């Protein structure tokens, strides 16, 4: 069984993304509300469908829920673009894509507080979900709308989906 590395180091940032310190994953996910940056990539195909990943049961945050196509923490010393490309490669096997920044915002749950840098791309190539995920698939926007509020998706995805008005 896989698990998250609780000793992995994350940058701590202000709401503009300026680094103010560093902390471990465990410290960031334990209710401390230390603001740490993450990247999201929404992967659409030419049909307008959105790829969602299924979070595995072993994840420390929101196990077994459907979530943003690509999502991950920015490592200490890494830029937003570097993290976005690394996470897309690690999670979906995607390396040749162009992206656009949609927005950035602060997301807060009972366990953590993240500065989210949200992007999108259109991609029609092969997607190969890694063993970090429990698979994934393309969803129509209507199918997503019909499942909102039913516990199918992560609260973060639902919040972002509403914010972006796909």
């Amino acid at each position: 069984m896989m698990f998250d590395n609780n000793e992995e180091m994350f940058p701590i940032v202000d709401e503009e993304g300026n680094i103010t310190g560093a902390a471990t994953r465990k410290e960031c996910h334990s209710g401390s509300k230390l603001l740490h940056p993450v990247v999201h990539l929404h992967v659409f195909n030419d049909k307008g469908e959105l790829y969602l990943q299924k979070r595995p049961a072993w994840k420390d945050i929101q196990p077994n829920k459907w979530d943003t196509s690509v999502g991950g923490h920015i490592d200490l010393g890494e830029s937003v673009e570097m993290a976005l490309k690394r996470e897309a490669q690690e999670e979906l096997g995607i390396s040749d894509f162009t992206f656009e920044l949609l927005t950035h915002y602060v997301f807060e749950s009972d366990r953590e507080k993240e500065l989210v840098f949200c992007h999108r791309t259109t991609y029609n190539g092969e997607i190969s979900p890694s063993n970090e995920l429990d698979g994934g698939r393309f969803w129509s926007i209507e199918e997503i709308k019909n499942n909102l509020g039913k516990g199918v998706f992560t609260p973060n995805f639902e919040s972002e989906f509403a914010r972006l008005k796909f």
Side-chain angles (χ1 to χ4, degrees):
M1 177 166 155
M2 294 186 67
F3 57 90
D4 287 316
N5 176 1
N6 282 328
E7 300 310 310
E8 183 178 5
M9 293 299 293
F10 296 155
I12 303 305
V13 297
D14 63 20
E15 292 192 9
E16 305 308 312
N18 301 305
I19 297 174
T20 60
T24 64
R25 171 189 289 272
K26 184 176 182 179
E27 290 170 311
C28 290
H29 289 180
S30 64
S32 68
K33 304 296 177 103
L34 292 169
L35 184 62
H36 56 287
V38 299
V39 292
H40 286 177
L41 178 65
H42 294 279
V43 178
F44 288 88
N45 62 20
D46 280 341
K47 296 186 222 170
E49 297 169 324
L50 178 58
Y51 189 91
L52 298 180
Q53 64 165 264
K54 179 88 181 276
R55 295 178 65 80
W58 55 263
K59 292 301 282 182
D60 64 341
I61 302 284
Q62 296 295 325
N64 297 313
K65 302 269 179 140
W66 289 91
D67 202 2
T68 308
S69 312
V70 173
H73 292 90
I74 296 175
D75 290 338
L76 199 56
E78 195 174 41
S79 71
V80 171
E81 183 175 341
M82 288 166 56
L84 190 64
K85 289 181 176 181
R86 176 182 52 77
E87 288 289 346
Q89 177 63 48
E90 283 178 9
E91 293 186 354
L92 301 183
I94 296 173
S95 58
D96 186 23
F97 65 97
T98 55
F99 59 88
E100 114 184 60
L101 176 66
L102 298 175
T103 189
H104 71 279
Y105 64 93
V106 173
F107 176 79
E108 187 171 348
S109 72
D110 59 342
R111 290 187 54 193
E112 65 176 337
K113 190 173 178 181
E114 298 177 326
L115 179 60
V116 182
F117 292 92
C118 181
H119 304 80
R120 72 164 285 151
T121 191
T122 301
Y123 184 82
N124 292 294
E126 186 169 334
I127 294 177
S128 302
S130 76
N131 62 1
E132 273 187 50
L133 311 179
D134 195 15
R137 67 176 179 88
F138 280 100
W139 295 59
S140 72
I141 299 304
E142 195 59 35
E143 187 180 12
I144 292 170
K145 288 178 179 176
N146 290 338
N147 283 284
L148 292 172
K150 296 181 178 177
V152 173
F153 307 116
T154 65
N156 192 329
F157 172 75
E158 289 199 2
S159 168
E160 195 164 278
F161 186 82
R163 174 186 300 268
L164 297 172
K165 299 177 175 68
F166 287 135

